[in-house]
Amino acid sequence: MTSGHVFDIQRFSIHDGPGIRTSVFLKGCPLRCLWCGNPESFQLTPSLSYLAERCIACGACRPVCRAKALSADAAGKALVDRGRCTACGDCASVCDPGALERVGREMTVADVLQVVLRDRDYYDASGGGLTLSGGDPLFQPAFAEALLHAAKSQRMHCCVETSGYALWGAMRGLLPLVDLWLYDFKETDSRLHEQFTGKPNALILANLRQLHAEGARIQLRCPLVPQHNARREHLDGIVALVRELPNLEGVELLPYYDLWRAKLVRFGLESALPASVKPPAHEVMEEWKAHLRRHGVRLLG
């Protein structure tokens, strides 16, 4: 039975496609966006989350750690040696206050569908359904395709949120199964795209154009990050792209939020995005939206 790596299933989601949905977050991503909101999705393997404020210094975790990755600070609270940790989850299994948590697990299509179908009545009433997100679902194309096949067999509306950085074959196999593509588009300048995400954007643009040529329904989702892609040249690049691809459903501008920084601490990660980068003011977002509207861009959300 087809299985894959999942790190979260979010029920009653209202921001990842139409209606009330269940968003299934798959592990694995080819990009390393400086502002990534889900850094625990980078690798296919599980990740260990540690919330020091929940630790009660009971010491139960240290004896069960086979990798010897746990020690204690002066107050007796756990310290995690990320270089040694294998994220096996033994420590999390004995952590009653939930300070330690293993994030990510292997699930079969049937496992996932069992959760998704719990809210079938809400999907039917609201026009919702299943959304695959991540990470990037195209990092696990066989599992994504199997999940979508199963959902479509239940006559469910299906969305896929992706950066588009994948071989075309991975996307082509999903075409008949996806009702709406939520296409995350981060930067029009390829050099800056590589600087911000670790990859150039040529493949992303090629796949977007091919999807459009195939008649797919596509929403362009564009995060705007101050001091980075939130600038006039990028907005004008979005305008040019919309004019080139007239059948896009529209564009959703997503303001940068910095809540993800707390996740970095949980997973022992660091970011090269300066702490000086703050969410844009509401008035600034409205100016950016007005600029796109003046140039004929249909905005969503």
Side-chain angles (χ1 to χ4, degrees):
M1 184 175 293
T2 304
S3 63
H5 303 275
V6 177
F7 72 91
D8 196 13
I9 298 180
Q10 190 175 92
R11 299 167 66 192
F12 295 95
S13 175
I14 59 172
H15 299 295
D16 297 324
I20 297 172
R21 315 188 67 80
T22 294
S23 295
V24 178
F25 294 84
L26 305 189
K27 265 187 157 283
C29 185
L31 304 185
R32 293 294 181 268
C33 302
L34 296 179
W35 52 82
C36 180
N38 292 326
E40 70 271 41
S41 72
F42 288 165
Q43 307 293 338
L44 284 176
T45 53
S47 308
L48 184 71
S49 166
Y50 173 53
L51 290 169
E53 59 268 29
R54 289 188 184 177
C55 180
I56 58 174
C58 68
C61 58
R62 295 196 300 277
V64 301
C65 180
R66 290 168 289 177
K68 306 300 181 186
L70 293 171
S71 58
D73 66 11
K77 288 195 171 191
L79 293 173
V80 181
D81 183 339
R82 296 289 178 174
R84 286 179 173 268
C85 179
T86 61
C88 67
D90 288 349
C91 59
S93 67
V94 298
C95 184
D96 289 338
L100 292 158
E101 179 187 2
R102 190 176 192 242
V103 177
R105 58 182 173 135
E106 189 170 353
M107 300 181 72
T108 66
V109 169
D111 292 334
V112 175
L113 202 63
Q114 183 181 36
V115 178
V116 172
L117 288 176
R118 292 174 189 171
D119 300 312
R120 178 65 177 268
D121 291 344
Y122 293 103
Y123 311 149
D124 293 342
S126 67
L130 168 69
T131 296
L132 297 188
S133 186
D136 196 315
L138 299 183
F139 203 80
Q140 299 185 62
F143 185 51
E145 185 172 349
L147 277 175
L148 293 170
H149 265 298
K152 296 310 286 184
S153 73
Q154 298 290 326
R155 302 180 302 283
M156 200 176 301
H157 185 278
C158 294
C159 295
V160 167
E161 182 177 14
T162 178
S163 70
Y165 193 89
L167 296 177
W168 170 247
M171 304 185 80
R172 183 177 55 209
L174 305 187
L175 270 174
L177 305 170
V178 179
D179 297 290
L180 180 64
W181 294 83
L182 306 176
Y183 208 93
D184 293 335
F185 187 67
K186 298 167 171 71
E187 174 58 58
T188 49
D189 183 292
S190 188
R191 180 184 59 82
L192 290 176
H193 192 283
E194 186 167 10
Q195 180 180 323
F196 299 155
T197 73
K199 302 289 184 182
N201 67 6
L203 180 60
I204 291 167
L205 285 168
N207 284 335
L208 176 61
R209 291 173 175 126
Q210 187 63 42
L211 273 182
H212 184 270
E214 296 283 349
R217 293 186 60 203
I218 309 165
Q219 289 184 7
L220 212 60
R221 307 183 99 188
C222 303
L224 290 182
V225 184
Q227 304 175 34
H228 290 73
N229 65 356
R231 52 184 216 290
R232 182 64 60 88
E233 295 83 0
H234 177 47
L235 292 175
D236 290 343
I238 293 171
V239 171
L241 194 57
V242 169
R243 289 174 177 171
E244 178 190 346
L245 307 174
N247 293 327
L248 291 175
E249 297 284 310
V251 174
E252 183 178 10
L253 291 187
L254 303 173
Y256 164 76
Y257 292 105
D258 56 4
L259 298 177
W260 59 275
R261 290 190 184 275
K263 281 191 175 183
L264 295 179
V265 177
R266 282 177 54 197
F267 293 99
L269 300 172
E270 297 181 354
S271 174
L273 191 73
S276 60
V277 177
K278 300 296 182 183
H282 175 75
E283 295 77 15
V284 173
M285 282 297 300
E286 290 305 308
E287 289 176 10
W288 293 335
K289 291 179 180 179
H291 178 75
L292 293 186
R293 288 194 188 99
R294 284 194 297 271
H295 289 82
V297 174
R298 183 188 176 203
L299 290 181
L300 306 169

